[in-house]
Amino acid sequence: MAVYLHDIPLAEAQRRIREALQSAGLWGVLGKETLPISEALVGRVTAEPIWARLSSPHYHSAAMDGFAIRAEDTAGAMPTAPITLLVSSQAAYVDTGDVLPQWANAVVPIEQVEALNSAGQPADDPRHPYMIRLRAALTPWSHVRPMGEDIVATQLVLPAGHVLRAVDLGAIAACGHTEVTVTRKPRVAIIPTGDELIPIGQPVKPGDIIEFNSLVLAAQVTTWGGEPIRFPITPDEEELILEQVQEAARESDLILLNAGSSAGSEDFSARVIERLGELLFHGVAVRPGHPVIFGILSRPGAPPGDKVPIFGVPGYPVSAALTGEIFIEPLLALWTGRSPAQPEEIEAILTRKITSPAGDEDYVRVVVGEVGGRVVAAPLARGAGVITSLVRADGILVIPSGVQGIEAGEKVRVRLYTSSRNLNRTLFAIGSHDMSLDLLAQFLAERGLRLVSANVGSLGGLVALRRGEAHLAGSHLLDPETGIYNIRYVQQYLPNEKVMIVRWVEREQGLIVQSGNPKGIRGLEDLTRPDVTFVNRQRGAGTRVLLDYHLGRLGINPEVIRGYQQEEYTHLAVAAAVASGRADCGLGVTAAAKALDLDFIPLFQEAYDLIILCKYAEEERIRAVFDLMADSRFRHAVAQLPGYDVGQMGVIVQTC
Amino acid sequence: MAVYLHDIPLAEAQRRIREALQSAGLWGVLGKETLPISEALVGRVTAEPIWARLSSPHYHSAAMDGFAIRAEDTAGAMPTAPITLLVSSQAAYVDTGDVLPQWANAVVPIEQVEALNSAGQPADDPRHPYMIRLRAALTPWSHVRPMGEDIVATQLVLPAGHVLRAVDLGAIAACGHTEVTVTRKPRVAIIPTGDELIPIGQPVKPGDIIEFNSLVLAAQVTTWGGEPIRFPITPDEEELILEQVQEAARESDLILLNAGSSAGSEDFSARVIERLGELLFHGVAVRPGHPVIFGILSRPGAPPGDKVPIFGVPGYPVSAALTGEIFIEPLLALWTGRSPAQPEEIEAILTRKITSPAGDEDYVRVVVGEVGGRVVAAPLARGAGVITSLVRADGILVIPSGVQGIEAGEKVRVRLYTSSRNLNRTLFAIGSHDMSLDLLAQFLAERGLRLVSANVGSLGGLVALRRGEAHLAGSHLLDPETGIYNIRYVQQYLPNEKVMIVRWVEREQGLIVQSGNPKGIRGLEDLTRPDVTFVNRQRGAGTRVLLDYHLGRLGINPEVIRGYQQEEYTHLAVAAAVASGRADCGLGVTAAAKALDLDFIPLFQEAYDLIILCKYAEEERIRAVFDLMADSRFRHAVAQLPGYDVGQMGVIVQTC
């Protein structure tokens, strides 16, 4: 089969993997091992059916404390016609769980007999009387726990392919086993490569990329039942990489060769695989993660038929992690004899339009929540390097290769990472970013609630509320005519809803400048200087509205401001731009400047409110926010942020 | 607070636990530890919020292979008016991921430039030309991956109380951390006690009880985030038990003192706790598992406020495991800072009436499946010693203490152990037991399907089919008038359904007798002998019908048969009764006799069919059974069972 250096469809890639593994005799359980039952077996998979060796119980036992008797000896006993049995010839005391004597076939509970001495009086020790008197007959096998009540020897206790749980270990021990034969853990070698990579813990300088894909892949492998072996970083030299791969191929069942992110790195992987074995594909039409490579090597020093599969894993973190989910998890499931993970799926309404290049299966990370009884999915950042998109994701929306995009408002199917039962514990705060929302997220997490915030600016937040995509929106939109925040915009954008406006914080806004203020910036007028570069906020952001308002008052034409077109979406991103030298200044809040050790020129005080639809105001997750607004520990934490005033936090600006 | 030796309600028990732990300062996260990120951290819980130390990326990098330039230098470039830039003064080659030079603010991809030598001709090495020619202008920050695109230093990456996954470890490493502070694992001492207990692996004699509760509890503790310490078995001697508990109390966070099943064992636990600390309850109104005990001890050799909670765990396996789920899991969740497990719940229709003693919360184990679009729940064996009820259970139905029973057909809520997505992979085979059904279960498991079989006898199976509680029923009901199996009964019990009857096997039935046939039994006539004890099958069983038919033909009055009233529900249970000496003989199949090394007197040949409702016949799980009936490997396996003939397996006796 020819290997073209272009992306093949995912289904074709999976077919080639299956065929190659089938030819190599690797399409099934890899192997098994027999372990003592006391080893850590939870999560391991039975390799063989488990048939009972013993019955459980394995003997007839007394089910109560009392006297073992022959039921026939009690025939005819009645309250008016009691029967007396002699102990040690017709009756014997037994505790619960004791072996039933061979001659006995029933137990009379001690409460149902009169224990008498030889004189017919109550015995000194009721468990060792001379005789017992009964006033009711017993049927055979009364109060006896018969052998095999639970398990009968030879019956099937657990099938093969069963993932062991704690209670299973009890049943296995109960029926006489001391060992369990389970599928063995595949050994997976993980080889990171790349000149720019540094190991975790090494001090970081520009140009260094912290190598953590091997950590993530190793943790994935462990989660999915394998045994990872992490190799140290190999530089981008083909002979060194080949050496490492050969070393790995001696002892491993699978090799994950992780390329760096530079273009050349991937080519090394492909060439090494071609030199050591057979390259079966180079590039799959999935995004992110298309530069994934697959081949089959011969195991060094072993008979020719002994093969080792190898994946070239892409360098970008999201690509690497998704390669794990798409290709490695099903393979480890197959090799350990369990079913592949089947994520829960849910139907949701897409909040924002997504475009998707033709020809690729697009794995879009989304957050999912429930707003007003509808399930909505909001896409996260698409970049292959944005590992927080996997951390924040509630699930994956797979856009098939024929589809070029999905419109906002359309129904989509999401493969969940979380459980759908968590959806009502998620609060969607969509609107203007504020650093206090990170604190809110922390405090809500203590209450088992999750805050998902999307930074689309104040206006974007009002629109999201109107479209039923958020529970609340943060907003600080100044009405230039009245100098009042938010009320007019709420009326304008949410005319048909009853809306509550609650004061959250009052914050200082000003110019964030480099440490030491090298350009001597003092106010908005300095933005017109040719030697000053500005970085702006996006249209619709309250900070942008604030800027434009004051520029208007000062008679400054935005076109003369260098960098006015450069837009960032959060205060911290503006600060980051200034800190990196990309810009000399930007308008933002004090806390953002202080967070990155920048200087700050305070200019304005503004109100930042939470906009809440009245129909959600009584939901538990919203009430939790109100509780926190009154919580002194929370208010104190927010007040610690520089430039923040919580004096009005919780004041209702507009009631329902 | 007085401790009465009677059961308290579960809510009261939970309240006493909470108060005691709050007083002891143990109602919250127990402690934390800081571990290197490369340790096995998946599943651990963050003890503190994680704020980014570094931005990621932490420098501006080239997003493409190309040339770093100043965007301003390209102003005005057009296809008809190209601009030329000199390399090493106005342009520098960069690979993807390289640091953007300080003077640059954009990257032009290599495909978009002409790389030229000093003579204006194509350069030898396109990455090291003398100059580059562009035909389009670039905006600032084109093809640059800016610092902080993913994570900005100081932002919240993960809150406290987050259960770590593989991708989280990547984000934590990406933002500059080398360690993670997680909640520490509670140390849980597990102390089994009881004279009758033997460790796993020791040869078993009657009266011995294999000690496996400590194995199950330890596996539960590990699953729930704790670190178990299993003690060896302690005999039923109060001073020895007290010594072990004191030893455990030195170093553990929690002690699980597992009583044996004899009545005295539990009293030792209570007395030891009273002597070493404070006993807070002894008995909770839950079934199974009511003899659970709780107390608080002082840690030996530590300041007086340093306390250790202790549970007395009941001896019966189901009670012990349920004590774990009810009391231990939520406590370990609290101590490790995660939310307690919230099982998925589902509404189901109860198939059989359940009685429940007033005053107890009853935890009834059930199997759950989907039959004909309805979700049904069938209760499993109720005994506290029947650990297979926990192995087989799909979930728990909790009957509140006020309720004394639930009728068949009522809607109930089940807390699932499995996922509701597995329900359509479960096949309910309710009816006559046959040993080949164990083989069917095994082969179906290979196909990811689960067979749940309930042994209610042939007639019970037809009734279950009629009531929509089963997908298929095994039946071998002989019509005495025609000598034909099943058809008449199907007509009688399922008059309103279209029913398919498929021949499964033909089996030999006869008398199962003890090895060596000491009573010299030769046929049914011997059942009338006073020295011969019989064990019967339950009414409605095909074997019972067979027996009664032949007794009738022989003119034998059942009343003269000793043991005719003794009923068992499966062939193996009949064989077990004979093997144990409880009976001299019973009617059953060859395979049951051979399984327990008993002798067998063959008497009759009978047909055993599968009864299938036509409306389910096309479902995947039923088709799988048909596939197996044609599968040579399966047919061969069944044919190996002694007394089984598969010649007619799969023959349609009655079509749809």
Side-chain angles (χ1 to χ4, degrees):
Chain A
M1 152 188 29
V3 177
Y4 299 104
L5 290 183
H6 67 88
D7 296 352
I8 59 173
L10 177 59
E12 172 63 14
Q14 290 164 330
R15 192 190 65 75
R16 291 188 194 184
I17 293 170
R18 186 178 69 244
E19 282 189 4
L21 293 178
Q22 281 170 336
S23 301
L26 296 173
W27 190 255
V29 169
L30 213 58
K32 50 194 188 186
E33 53 183 351
T34 300
L35 300 173
I37 202 176
S38 55
E39 269 197 36
L41 293 179
V42 172
R44 299 296 291 268
V45 182
T46 53
E48 300 167 348
I50 298 178
W51 310 88
R53 281 191 55 241
L54 293 178
S55 295
S56 177
H58 58 92
Y59 60 95
H60 302 308
S61 63
M64 311 280 283
D65 295 347
F67 290 88
I69 54 167
R70 289 196 58 75
E72 295 80 354
D73 290 351
T74 71
M78 281 166 33
T80 52
I83 279 179
T84 305
L85 301 177
L86 291 175
V87 172
S88 346
S89 60
Q90 293 173 303
Y93 181 76
V94 284
D95 280 315
T96 306
D98 280 353
V99 188
L100 195 70
Q102 191 63 11
W103 50 264
N105 69 355
V107 171
V108 55
I110 196 168
E111 312 84 64
Q112 292 177 19
V113 306
E114 297 159 53
L116 308 171
N117 61 22
S118 51
Q121 298 304 311
D124 292 330
D125 180 354
R127 294 184 303 154
H128 295 100
Y130 180 72
M131 53 195 186
I132 57 172
R133 187 185 291 153
L134 296 82
R135 296 181 186 271
L138 276 80
T139 52
W141 308 102
S142 297
H143 305 296
V144 172
R145 188 156 176 246
M147 179 175 99
E149 177 201 50
D150 187 359
I151 303 169
V152 178
T154 77
Q155 82 176 53
L156 180 71
V157 175
L158 289 168
H162 179 83
V163 180
L164 291 169
R165 309 156 302 170
V167 292
D168 299 321
L169 301 180
I172 294 170
C175 71
H177 291 277
T178 59
E179 301 176 318
V180 191
T181 301
V182 294
T183 57
R184 73 166 178 80
K185 293 185 179 185
R187 290 175 301 259
V188 183
I190 300 167
I191 306 175
T193 69
D195 286 331
E196 70 286 5
L197 298 177
I198 58 164
I200 293 166
Q202 187 167 303
V204 162
K205 57 186 197 310
D208 289 342
I209 292 180
I210 301 170
E211 196 291 300
F212 59 80
N213 281 343
S214 65
L215 178 71
V216 174
L217 290 167
Q220 286 180 320
V221 164
T222 301
T223 302
W224 297 330
E227 195 184 300
I229 304 121
R230 280 174 75 194
F231 278 54
I233 299 164
T234 302
D236 274 327
E237 289 185 41
E238 194 172 313
E239 296 309 313
L240 292 178
I241 296 174
L242 188 134
E243 216 177 281
Q244 294 293 293
V245 170
Q246 270 187 306
E247 181 59 39
R250 276 179 228 292
E251 298 284 335
S252 315
D253 298 302
L254 174 67
I255 301 170
L256 305 182
L257 180 58
N258 192 206
S261 27
S262 61
S265 211
E266 191 186 310
D267 297 329
F268 287 138
S269 299
R271 269 205 301 277
V272 162
I273 294 172
E274 281 175 313
R275 287 174 60 183
L276 292 176
E278 193 185 357
L279 178 69
L280 290 163
F281 60 74
H282 183 171
V284 179
V286 291
R287 273 168 52 102
H290 79 94
V292 60
I293 298 170
F294 177 70
I296 289 270
L297 313 179
S298 296
R299 190 186 299 284
D306 197 341
K307 302 288 189 187
V308 184
I310 176 168
F311 281 95
V313 179
Y316 277 120
V318 178
S319 309
L322 281 177
T323 296
E325 291 181 23
I326 296 170
F327 293 104
I328 311 305
E329 192 276 330
L331 181 54
L332 292 179
L334 172 75
W335 279 353
T336 54
R338 59 169 177 82
S339 315
Q342 279 173 302
E344 184 180 357
E345 294 197 356
I346 197 170
E347 227 175 50
I349 293 166
L350 191 62
T351 60
R352 291 202 293 290
K353 169 184 172 128
I354 301 177
T355 55
S356 173
D360 278 341
E361 266 188 60
D362 217 327
Y363 284 67
V364 181
R365 282 81 69 210
V366 293
V367 286
V368 184
E370 173 268 308
V371 180
R374 299 190 324 156
V375 177
V376 299
L380 293 164
R382 307 285 289 279
V386 183
I387 191 145
T388 51
S389 72
L390 276 180
V391 169
R392 297 178 58 204
D394 291 315
I396 296 279
L397 159 58
V398 181
I399 303 185
S401 53
V403 177
Q404 284 197 255
I406 308 182
E407 295 298 322
E410 280 193 48
K411 277 199 165 138
V412 294
R413 278 200 83 72
V414 177
R415 303 179 192 176
L416 288 175
Y417 283 142
T418 181
S419 161
S420 61
R421 285 168 288 129
N422 290 334
L423 293 185
N424 65 353
R425 306 202 66 69
T426 298
L427 188 62
F428 269 19
I430 296 189
S432 172
H433 172 247
D434 184 77
M435 289 171 69
S436 60
L437 294 185
D438 274 354
L439 281 171
L440 179 62
Q442 178 57 40
F443 279 73
L444 285 174
E446 290 172 13
R447 288 157 169 72
L449 294 168
R450 191 171 65 114
L451 181 73
V452 172
S453 50
N455 305 316
V456 299
S458 301
L459 274 184
L462 299 184
V463 171
L465 276 179
R466 186 181 72 211
R467 295 187 351 187
E469 298 163 9
H471 299 104
L472 57 87
S475 177
H476 58 114
L477 292 161
L478 177 63
D479 179 357
E481 292 169 33
T482 63
I484 291 175
Y485 281 84
N486 295 321
I487 295 180
R488 176 172 88 77
Y489 293 86
V490 168
Q491 281 166 355
Q492 180 180 340
Y493 281 83
L494 292 155
N496 301 321
E497 297 275 0
K498 289 167 58 86
V499 180
M500 174 191 295
I501 302 176
V502 186
R503 182 65 30 97
W504 181 244
V505 292
E506 286 165 311
R507 356 179 259 191
E508 213 170 45
Q509 287 258 21
L511 287 171
I512 301 172
V513 298
Q514 278 147 18
S515 184
N517 195 5
K519 298 267 174 108
I521 292 167
R522 286 199 297 267
L524 289 185
E525 296 85 353
D526 289 297
L527 266 45
T528 62
R529 287 161 48 181
D531 66 321
V532 168
T533 305
F534 185 68
V535 60
N536 207 348
R537 289 292 306 277
Q538 81 281 16
R539 263 160 289 210
T543 304
R544 173 75 171 246
V545 170
L546 185 72
L547 171 77
D548 289 342
Y549 168 67
H550 285 288
L551 289 179
R553 286 183 63 246
L554 292 170
I556 296 174
N557 180 357
E559 290 186 20
V560 311
I561 299 175
R562 285 165 49 93
Y564 183 87
Q565 313 290 352
Q566 291 308 304
E567 297 179 356
E568 286 297 337
Y569 281 79
T570 71
H571 295 283
L572 264 184
V574 165
V578 173
S580 74
R582 223 176 353 127
D584 297 309
C585 63
L587 189 67
V589 294
T590 328
K594 295 292 169 248
L596 299 189
D597 292 318
L598 299 166
D599 282 11
F600 185 74
I601 318 296
L603 292 176
F604 318 110
Q605 195 76 6
E606 62 164 7
Y608 181 106
D609 298 332
L610 296 185
I611 317 299
I612 303 168
L613 293 181
C614 291
K615 59 191 180 189
Y616 303 148
E618 292 306 312
E619 288 188 12
E620 184 199 336
R621 42 197 161 185
I622 302 287
R623 302 281 4 133
V625 178
F626 278 100
D627 291 345
L628 283 172
M629 284 196 269
D631 181 297
S632 58
R633 197 173 133 248
F634 178 70
R635 294 170 72 106
H636 181 78
V638 177
Q640 298 302 107
L641 294 171
Y644 279 70
D645 188 322
V646 298
Q648 301 230 326
M649 179 179 271
V651 168
I652 312 285
V653 173
Q654 177 175 296
T655 60
C656 277
Chain B
M1 153 186 28
V3 178
Y4 300 105
L5 291 182
H6 68 86
D7 295 352
I8 60 173
L10 177 58
E12 170 66 13
Q14 289 163 332
R15 192 190 66 75
R16 291 186 193 185
I17 293 170
R18 188 179 68 248
E19 282 189 5
L21 294 178
Q22 281 169 337
S23 302
L26 296 172
W27 190 254
V29 168
L30 212 58
K32 49 194 189 188
E33 54 182 351
T34 300
L35 300 173
I37 201 175
S38 54
E39 269 197 37
L41 294 178
V42 173
R44 299 298 291 268
V45 183
T46 52
E48 301 169 345
I50 297 179
W51 310 88
R53 281 191 56 240
L54 292 179
S55 296
S56 176
H58 58 94
Y59 60 97
H60 301 310
S61 63
M64 311 279 284
D65 296 346
F67 290 87
I69 54 166
R70 287 196 61 76
E72 293 79 355
D73 290 351
T74 70
M78 280 165 36
T80 51
I83 280 179
T84 305
L85 301 176
L86 291 175
V87 172
S88 344
S89 60
Q90 293 174 303
Y93 180 78
V94 283
D95 281 315
T96 307
D98 279 353
V99 188
L100 194 70
Q102 189 63 10
W103 50 264
N105 70 356
V107 171
V108 54
I110 196 169
E111 310 83 63
Q112 292 178 21
V113 307
E114 298 157 55
L116 308 172
N117 60 21
S118 51
Q121 298 304 311
D124 293 330
D125 180 352
R127 293 182 304 151
H128 294 103
Y130 181 73
M131 55 194 186
I132 56 172
R133 187 184 292 155
L134 298 81
R135 295 181 186 270
L138 275 82
T139 53
W141 307 103
S142 297
H143 305 298
V144 172
R145 190 154 174 248
M147 178 175 99
E149 176 201 51
D150 188 357
I151 303 170
V152 178
T154 76
Q155 83 176 54
L156 179 72
V157 176
L158 289 167
H162 178 83
V163 180
L164 291 169
R165 308 157 300 169
V167 292
D168 299 321
L169 300 180
I172 294 171
C175 72
H177 291 277
T178 58
E179 301 176 317
V180 192
T181 302
V182 294
T183 57
R184 72 164 178 82
K185 294 186 180 186
R187 291 176 300 258
V188 182
I190 301 165
I191 306 174
T193 71
D195 287 330
E196 69 286 5
L197 298 178
I198 57 164
I200 293 166
Q202 189 169 301
V204 162
K205 56 187 199 305
D208 290 340
I209 292 180
I210 301 172
E211 197 291 302
F212 60 80
N213 280 344
S214 66
L215 178 73
V216 174
L217 291 166
Q220 285 180 321
V221 163
T222 301
T223 302
W224 298 327
E227 193 185 300
I229 305 120
R230 279 174 75 196
F231 278 53
I233 299 165
T234 303
D236 274 325
E237 287 185 43
E238 194 171 315
E239 296 309 314
L240 291 178
I241 296 174
L242 187 135
E243 215 177 282
Q244 293 295 294
V245 170
Q246 271 188 304
E247 180 61 37
R250 275 177 228 292
E251 297 285 335
S252 315
D253 299 300
L254 175 66
I255 302 170
L256 305 181
L257 180 58
N258 191 206
S261 27
S262 62
S265 210
E266 193 187 309
D267 297 330
F268 287 137
S269 300
R271 269 206 301 278
V272 162
I273 293 172
E274 280 174 314
R275 287 175 60 185
L276 291 177
E278 194 186 356
L279 178 68
L280 291 162
F281 59 74
H282 183 170
V284 180
V286 292
R287 272 167 53 102
H290 79 95
V292 59
I293 297 169
F294 178 70
I296 290 269
L297 312 179
S298 296
R299 192 187 297 284
D306 198 340
K307 303 288 189 186
V308 184
I310 176 167
F311 282 94
V313 178
Y316 277 120
V318 178
S319 308
L322 281 177
T323 296
E325 290 181 23
I326 297 170
F327 294 103
I328 311 304
E329 191 277 330
L331 181 56
L332 292 179
L334 173 76
W335 280 353
T336 53
R338 61 169 175 82
S339 315
Q342 278 173 303
E344 184 181 358
E345 293 198 356
I346 198 171
E347 227 176 52
I349 293 167
L350 192 63
T351 60
R352 289 203 294 291
K353 169 185 172 132
I354 302 176
T355 56
S356 174
D360 279 341
E361 267 189 59
D362 216 325
Y363 283 69
V364 181
R365 282 80 68 209
V366 294
V367 287
V368 184
E370 173 268 308
V371 179
R374 299 190 323 158
V375 178
V376 298
L380 293 165
R382 308 284 289 278
V386 183
I387 192 145
T388 51
S389 73
L390 276 179
V391 169
R392 296 178 58 206
D394 291 314
I396 296 279
L397 160 58
V398 181
I399 304 185
S401 53
V403 177
Q404 283 196 258
I406 306 181
E407 295 298 322
E410 281 194 47
K411 276 197 165 137
V412 294
R413 276 198 86 73
V414 177
R415 303 178 191 176
L416 289 175
Y417 283 141
T418 180
S419 161
S420 60
R421 285 169 286 128
N422 291 334
L423 293 185
N424 64 352
R425 304 202 68 68
T426 300
L427 188 63
F428 270 20
I430 296 188
S432 171
H433 172 249
D434 185 79
M435 291 173 67
S436 59
L437 294 185
D438 274 355
L439 280 172
L440 179 63
Q442 178 58 38
F443 278 73
L444 285 174
E446 290 173 12
R447 288 158 170 70
L449 293 167
R450 192 170 67 116
L451 182 72
V452 172
S453 50
N455 305 316
V456 298
S458 300
L459 274 184
L462 298 184
V463 171
L465 275 179
R466 188 182 70 213
R467 297 189 348 188
E469 299 163 8
H471 299 103
L472 57 86
S475 177
H476 58 113
L477 291 161
L478 178 64
D479 178 358
E481 293 170 32
T482 62
I484 292 175
Y485 282 82
N486 298 317
I487 295 180
R488 177 171 86 77
Y489 293 85
V490 167
Q491 281 166 354
Q492 182 180 340
Y493 282 82
L494 292 154
N496 301 320
E497 296 274 1
K498 287 166 62 83
V499 180
M500 173 191 294
I501 302 176
V502 185
R503 182 65 29 95
W504 182 245
V505 293
E506 286 163 309
R507 357 181 256 192
E508 213 171 46
Q509 286 256 23
L511 286 171
I512 302 171
V513 298
Q514 279 149 22
S515 183
N517 195 6
K519 300 266 175 110
I521 294 167
R522 287 199 298 270
L524 291 184
E525 296 85 355
D526 288 297
L527 266 47
T528 62
R529 290 163 45 183
D531 65 320
V532 168
T533 304
F534 184 69
V535 58
N536 208 347
R537 288 294 305 278
Q538 81 280 18
R539 261 159 291 210
T543 304
R544 173 77 170 244
V545 169
L546 185 72
L547 172 77
D548 290 340
Y549 167 67
H550 285 288
L551 290 179
R553 283 182 63 249
L554 293 169
I556 297 173
N557 181 354
E559 290 185 20
V560 311
I561 299 174
R562 289 169 44 93
Y564 183 86
Q565 313 291 350
Q566 292 306 306
E567 297 179 354
E568 287 296 337
Y569 281 79
T570 71
H571 296 283
L572 262 185
V574 164
V578 173
S580 76
R582 227 179 347 128
D584 296 309
C585 62
L587 190 65
V589 294
T590 328
K594 294 293 170 248
L596 299 190
D597 293 317
L598 299 167
D599 281 11
F600 184 76
I601 319 295
L603 293 176
F604 318 111
Q605 196 75 6
E606 62 165 7
Y608 181 106
D609 299 332
L610 295 184
I611 319 297
I612 302 168
L613 292 182
C614 291
K615 58 190 179 189
Y616 303 147
E618 291 307 312
E619 289 188 10
E620 184 199 337
R621 42 198 161 185
I622 302 287
R623 301 283 2 134
V625 177
F626 278 99
D627 291 345
L628 283 172
M629 285 197 271
D631 181 297
S632 58
R633 196 172 133 249
F634 178 69
R635 294 169 70 105
H636 181 77
V638 176
Q640 297 302 107
L641 294 171
Y644 279 68
D645 189 320
V646 298
Q648 302 228 326
M649 179 178 270
V651 168
I652 312 285
V653 172
Q654 176 174 295
T655 60
C656 278

